[in-house]
Amino acid sequence: MKNIVKNIGLFIIIIFSCVSVFFSLYSKDYEAKWRDLTSYASFFENRFYDFRMLQTMHKRKPHPKIILADIDDDSIKKLNSWPIPRTKWAEMLKKLRGYGAKIVAFDVFFSEDSMTCNGQNPDDDLVAAIEYFQEVPNNRVILPYNLQVGGTEHYTSIPDDLYIFALTTKVGGANYEMYPTFISDSVYPLQKLIDAETSLGFIEATADTDGVIRHYKALAFPYGEVHVPSYGLTAYMHWIGEFDEYDDPSKMDKIFKTQLDLSTAGGKPILKTKKGDIELNLKGETKVRWTGGEETYKRIPIYDIITKDPNDEELKNLFEDALVFVGATAYGAHDLRNTPVHPMLPGVMVHMNFAQMLIDGYYFKPFKESAKLSWLLLIISVIILLLVQLKENPIYDLAILVVLVTVLFYADTYYFVEQGYETKLFWCFFALTMCYGWNTIVNFYMANQDKAFLKNAFGNYISPELIDEMYESGHAPTLGGTSGIRTAYFTDIQGFSSFSEKLSATQLVELLNEYLTAMTDILLEEKGTLDKYEGDAIIAFFGAPMELPDHAQRSCMVAHRMQEKLLELRKKWVSEGDKWPKIVHDMRMRIGINSGDIVTGNMGSASRMNYTMMGDSVNLAARLEESAKQYGIFTQVAKETVEMAGDKFLWRELDTIKVVGKSIPVTTYDLLGLKETAPDYLKELSEKFSAAILLYKAQKWDEAIELFKVTLELEYMRFPDLKGVKTNPSEIYIKRCEDYKKLPPPPEWDGVFTLTSK
């Protein structure tokens, strides 16, 4: 249940973050009602992106030929007029032609006729100045108009003049049209100014949901008819010379090369310019890659331009081939915008930043690439975090979270942002921190519950290490009696009753404590469950209460390690001199192992119970330990266990027997050691003893005796200190063969030997 709850939570966090990445990139393409629902994604991400963008913005230098003719407070004061008279604009245009300016883009509306004075209309002066300025080849004056503005009237159809400036549109495959809009007739330029062959570009500033202007509307689709360029885009196209000459002089003398591609697979309009392709949303917008704020670009007050000497060399050098934006920075002009670079940036500088972005070819990557990168960073970082959290080490968890956040932040800020990716790093961090927090909370809560339960239930008879392992595995034990294939394990010290005759009670306790501690440690390290101690005997089982798929192999490994450990203890006791009698120096233990259907659980009375095992397989394991002494071996293992333990161990088939109290025969094996470390003579013993057993079962007594005599020498090599002291399997089989030679077994004999004692 813990894993289900945890994984569902992680899944929800990751899916929510990935969906938020999508909404953050594409929400502006939706209708208003859907934009309101998905705007949360951009609200959180945008300011974080602004912060990262500002870290490297200072590296970009403003273009020296993008200049602001500044309607500042001082100019308004010195000219003593607001709005600025059109005769003054005419004077400024004439001066700018003399200074060598190439493009003059007015962020000033000329939508109303000037008042005639003394029979002269100032508008005529401005028209004449525009024509004079544009006499120079490739010079151009750009006038703004506005799209639909709330509370104002708009044209019922697109003005004819705008068809001249419509971009050619390439449509292939699905036709993805941008959202249509309207054109305000309240600030549309005077016809006489348009007739002077000025260029037109619309102005629209729409803030994001947090009130900050980050996007620039590059194209509009008025009335669903043609696509027209914005004020900044028009200025860029003229300044960079992105147009071709018409062959037909009856038409307008120029046509823009810039093209709108509506054939892209992702359904996004692509603005194809000389410097590259810009992917727009369906509102015709792109995000601005900012160069700087009010102090970034060169600003010349309009008063200085109007009043300076026409031959001023400094201004000639400054304005030569320049793109001049005419706009207001005066606070009284009410043209201040909240932008990422400044909360009160003059609106004209939004256009200047956009124009420089186009001139530099400093475009954003397509939305798909930013989305893919964001999802990739999110998924990879979360996977790394979750893999580390599998260790359930809080220090590692916190460290990897800090490392991932730091690496992602610096990689994105100083590489991906610079490369034009709109990486949604906020949602990457959100996914990381939420996954970290969710995992930590769930693990902490469940750890307290699980550990308390396990320790209360099993603390009296299972080691703390096993309890921790059961908790980490996520498999809580089942209380009560349960049946399953498990392995029973019995071990006993050979001839222990004699020890009490040779040792004092204090020595006996000391010896047993050292022996049982060493053996129990091995048992617990291999995930065995200690059932009980019976004097010197250790009774244990494998596979409960925690399931162990390799319980048989583990039991055999414990047997091997215990025999090796006892050899080390004997050497230690010998090294302690006279502290221990010879019986201790020669201590041996017998082990019996059997796998089968075993019941484990709480058994006993209501007032006192014990977690133990029961079953016929348990009884057989006990009999194998007891009968091992009849063969002179120390580890006797049932065939079922051998088959389940795999090929890691070196065996020899010992016998097929009926133990006391059992009618069904069982084949048993002697554990010789590990295959990879066993000496050659043991491998030879295994091979030749198995061959001798086959001869024995085939009743070829003489041949079997000869081969058992060979294995007998190998037995002595295994335990040289027991030669002549204790019998061994080869000796037993030699005697059996000799007996059967004298008194052959009955015709129905199947090789089974019935033990008559334990």
Side-chain angles (χ1 to χ4, degrees):
M1 181 57 67
K2 180 194 77 171
N3 288 333
I4 292 174
V5 171
K6 181 167 67 173
N7 291 333
I8 289 176
L10 294 174
F11 178 78
I12 291 173
I13 291 169
I14 294 171
I15 292 300
F16 176 76
S17 301
C18 289
V19 170
S20 297
V21 168
F22 178 85
F23 286 157
S24 183
L25 283 164
Y26 290 90
S27 62
K28 277 184 165 284
D29 288 339
Y30 304 140
E31 296 179 4
K33 62 178 181 180
W34 296 111
R35 281 203 304 274
D36 293 340
L37 292 175
T38 60
S39 61
Y40 76 91
S42 298
F43 180 85
F44 289 109
E45 177 63 47
N46 282 337
R47 298 211 171 194
F48 188 37
Y49 182 89
D50 295 343
F51 172 75
R52 304 194 314 274
M53 177 269 298
L54 290 172
Q55 304 308 302
T56 56
M57 189 180 68
H58 65 278
K59 294 181 179 180
R60 297 189 60 208
K61 302 299 182 184
H63 197 289
K65 292 301 180 181
I66 299 178
I67 302 170
L68 174 62
D70 190 5
I71 310 172
D72 60 351
D73 289 304
D74 189 56
S75 293
I76 293 173
K77 181 178 179 181
K78 289 179 178 179
L79 293 173
N80 196 27
S81 178
W82 181 256
I84 306 299
R86 290 177 187 171
T87 54
K88 297 299 182 182
W89 292 129
E91 292 179 33
M92 187 192 74
L93 275 175
K94 292 174 182 178
K95 284 288 189 70
L96 287 174
R97 169 178 164 164
Y99 293 147
K102 182 178 181 180
I103 307 297
V104 177
F106 281 92
D107 188 10
V108 179
F109 291 112
F110 299 106
S111 56
E112 297 176 349
D113 291 315
S114 298
M115 294 181 63
T116 302
C117 183
N118 297 325
Q120 293 186 351
N121 190 336
D123 293 340
D124 295 335
D125 293 340
L126 181 55
V127 170
I130 291 172
E131 292 173 342
Y132 173 71
F133 182 83
Q134 294 186 156
E135 286 177 358
V136 179
N138 298 326
N139 275 19
R140 182 68 60 174
V141 173
I142 301 171
L143 300 180
Y145 63 93
N146 216 330
L147 300 180
Q148 183 178 12
V149 179
T152 66
E153 297 295 325
H154 58 80
Y155 287 104
T156 57
S157 62
I158 189 170
D160 292 339
D161 304 298
L162 287 186
Y163 284 103
I164 298 173
F165 304 102
L167 271 64
T168 57
T169 304
K170 175 185 175 184
V171 179
N175 186 357
Y176 297 97
E177 295 182 342
M178 295 186 298
Y179 295 138
T181 185
F182 304 100
I183 296 173
S184 172
D185 64 0
S186 60
V187 290
Y188 199 74
L190 296 171
Q191 189 62 45
K192 62 175 65 177
L193 299 180
I194 296 175
D195 291 341
E197 295 189 359
T198 54
S199 285
L200 302 178
F202 69 83
I203 287 178
E204 182 182 83
T206 304
D208 292 338
T209 54
D210 58 357
V212 180
I213 293 177
R214 297 183 181 86
H215 291 79
Y216 190 92
K217 192 174 183 70
L219 289 177
F221 191 43
Y223 308 94
E225 295 184 24
V226 294
H227 299 88
V228 294
S230 66
Y231 166 77
L233 178 57
T234 302
Y236 155 77
M237 291 189 294
H238 277 296
W239 189 77
I240 204 170
E242 190 157 308
F243 44 72
D244 285 328
E245 300 291 337
Y246 264 121
D247 294 330
D248 185 352
S250 65
K251 298 180 181 178
M252 182 183 176
D253 62 342
K254 301 184 187 302
I255 180 172
F256 296 121
K257 288 181 181 177
T258 298
Q259 184 182 82
L260 181 65
D261 188 348
L262 289 174
S263 63
T264 55
K268 291 292 185 181
I270 300 294
L271 186 64
K272 305 179 80 65
T273 73
K274 184 181 290 187
K275 288 297 184 72
D277 296 346
I278 309 175
E279 187 175 85
L280 310 175
N281 61 34
L282 295 184
K283 294 177 68 177
E285 298 172 334
T286 181
K287 218 169 192 177
V288 179
R289 303 196 72 178
W290 299 89
T291 298
E294 192 170 353
E295 303 302 323
T296 301
Y297 291 96
K298 185 69 176 178
R299 297 188 298 168
I300 306 297
I302 59 171
Y303 179 80
D304 290 351
I305 298 173
I306 293 170
T307 58
K308 284 280 187 177
D309 187 333
N311 296 313
D312 188 296
E313 290 299 324
E314 183 179 352
L315 291 183
K316 282 187 175 183
N317 291 333
L318 180 66
F319 282 111
E320 184 179 4
D321 292 328
L323 168 55
V324 181
F325 286 88
V326 183
T329 64
Y331 286 99
H334 304 294
D335 188 25
L336 301 176
R337 310 293 181 181
N338 185 4
T339 69
V341 296
H342 197 279
M344 298 181 68
L345 186 71
V348 67
M349 291 192 167
V350 177
H351 304 295
M352 297 171 72
N353 275 275
F354 177 70
Q356 173 147 354
M357 168 181 154
L358 297 177
I359 292 168
D360 292 344
Y362 196 54
Y363 303 152
F364 283 98
K365 298 285 187 182
F367 292 175
K368 277 188 176 180
E369 293 189 29
S370 292
K372 288 178 182 177
L373 177 63
S374 301
W375 287 329
L376 184 65
L377 294 177
L378 189 155
I379 297 299
I380 290 178
S381 58
V382 166
I383 288 175
I384 293 173
L385 174 69
L386 296 181
L387 288 176
V388 172
Q389 284 194 304
L390 290 177
K391 294 183 175 293
E392 297 189 4
N393 185 315
I395 296 178
Y396 289 169
D397 296 350
L398 183 59
I400 195 62
L401 178 66
V402 172
V403 169
L404 287 172
V405 168
T406 302
V407 170
L408 285 176
F409 177 80
Y410 280 97
D412 183 64
T413 302
Y414 297 101
Y415 181 76
F416 293 125
V417 170
E418 285 291 289
Q419 295 298 313
Y421 290 99
E422 290 186 74
T423 317
K424 302 307 173 182
L425 203 58
F426 173 86
W427 293 109
C428 293
F429 287 177
F430 175 86
L432 278 172
T433 53
M434 289 299 293
C435 286
Y436 169 81
W438 178 251
N439 254 346
T440 302
I441 291 171
V442 172
N443 287 340
F444 180 77
Y445 177 76
M446 298 305 297
N448 288 337
Q449 285 199 330
D450 289 354
K451 285 190 174 180
F453 167 73
L454 290 172
K455 287 184 177 179
N456 288 336
F458 292 91
N460 293 326
Y461 40 79
I462 297 179
S463 70
E465 293 83 2
L466 181 57
I467 294 177
D468 290 338
E469 181 70 14
M470 287 189 294
Y471 168 72
E472 291 171 4
S473 72
H475 298 292
T478 302
L479 296 178
T482 61
S483 177
I485 303 300
R486 292 149 187 165
T487 298
Y489 186 97
F490 286 75
T491 178
D492 194 11
I493 296 176
Q494 178 179 282
F496 186 73
S497 58
S498 303
F499 280 64
S500 58
E501 300 174 2
K502 305 289 184 180
L503 300 174
S504 66
T506 302
Q507 286 180 311
L508 193 61
V509 170
E510 180 184 354
L511 179 68
L512 271 181
N513 284 343
E514 183 176 9
Y515 164 79
L516 292 175
T517 298
M519 300 305 151
T520 304
D521 287 345
I522 293 172
L523 175 71
L524 298 181
E525 286 171 9
E526 292 294 339
K527 309 299 186 296
T529 300
L530 178 64
D531 187 329
K532 63 179 71 71
Y533 299 116
E534 286 185 355
D536 62 300
I538 299 173
I539 302 174
F541 49 91
F542 294 79
M546 182 180 67
E547 292 185 5
L548 292 173
D550 57 346
H551 56 85
Q553 184 183 96
R554 287 181 179 273
S555 66
C556 296
M557 181 59 73
V558 169
H560 172 73
R561 290 183 60 189
M562 280 187 175
Q563 297 291 7
E564 294 288 317
K565 187 63 179 179
L566 181 56
L567 179 60
E568 293 177 15
L569 289 175
R570 291 206 307 268
K571 291 179 180 178
K572 173 182 175 295
W573 294 330
V574 170
S575 69
E576 292 174 352
D578 296 332
K579 179 179 179 179
W580 304 106
K582 190 175 187 305
I583 192 172
V584 174
H585 298 168
D586 296 334
M587 182 193 290
R588 304 278 182 173
M589 69 171 165
R590 294 187 302 269
I591 299 172
I593 305 174
N594 181 43
S595 299
D597 191 31
I598 297 174
V599 176
T600 60
N602 282 327
M603 301 175 193
S605 68
S607 60
R608 187 172 183 85
M609 62 183 65
N610 183 38
Y611 190 83
T612 187
M613 59 177 172
M614 297 182 67
D616 190 63
S617 297
V618 177
N619 297 332
L620 178 57
R623 294 290 182 268
L624 293 181
E625 179 271 319
E626 294 165 348
S627 64
K629 64 183 177 183
Q630 298 187 38
Y631 290 91
I633 64 169
F634 301 105
T635 304
Q636 186 169 208
V637 184
K639 182 178 182 180
E640 288 75 12
T641 303
V642 172
E643 291 176 345
M644 295 171 64
D647 60 354
K648 193 171 185 176
F649 304 95
L650 183 65
W651 308 95
R652 67 167 163 180
E653 181 180 339
L654 188 62
D655 204 354
T656 301
I657 59 175
K658 290 180 182 178
V659 298
V660 176
K662 303 294 178 184
S663 59
I664 299 175
V666 57
T667 301
T668 65
Y669 290 76
D670 180 15
L671 177 57
L672 300 177
L674 299 178
K675 274 187 178 180
E676 62 180 10
T677 59
D680 292 339
Y681 74 87
L682 284 183
K683 295 177 181 178
E684 184 181 357
L685 174 61
S686 172
E687 180 183 347
K688 292 187 175 179
F689 196 90
S690 297
I693 287 289
L694 292 176
L695 293 173
Y696 164 78
K697 290 181 178 181
Q699 301 186 32
K700 298 180 179 180
W701 314 118
D702 290 329
E703 294 178 44
I705 290 172
E706 291 302 316
L707 196 50
F708 280 127
K709 287 181 179 179
V710 174
T711 61
L712 180 61
E713 296 303 318
L714 298 174
E715 304 268 17
Y716 294 150
M717 292 177 65
R718 185 184 184 192
F719 299 118
D721 55 327
L722 298 181
K723 183 177 180 180
V725 177
K726 190 174 185 62
T727 189
N728 59 58
S730 296
E731 291 176 336
I732 289 173
Y733 271 102
I734 289 173
K735 185 175 186 310
R736 278 193 200 172
C737 289
E738 290 175 346
D739 290 341
Y740 281 135
K741 282 178 63 178
K742 297 175 183 177
L743 183 61
E748 67 273 15
W749 183 68
D750 57 1
V752 176
F753 188 82
T754 301
L755 299 180
T756 57
S757 62
K758 295 183 180 179

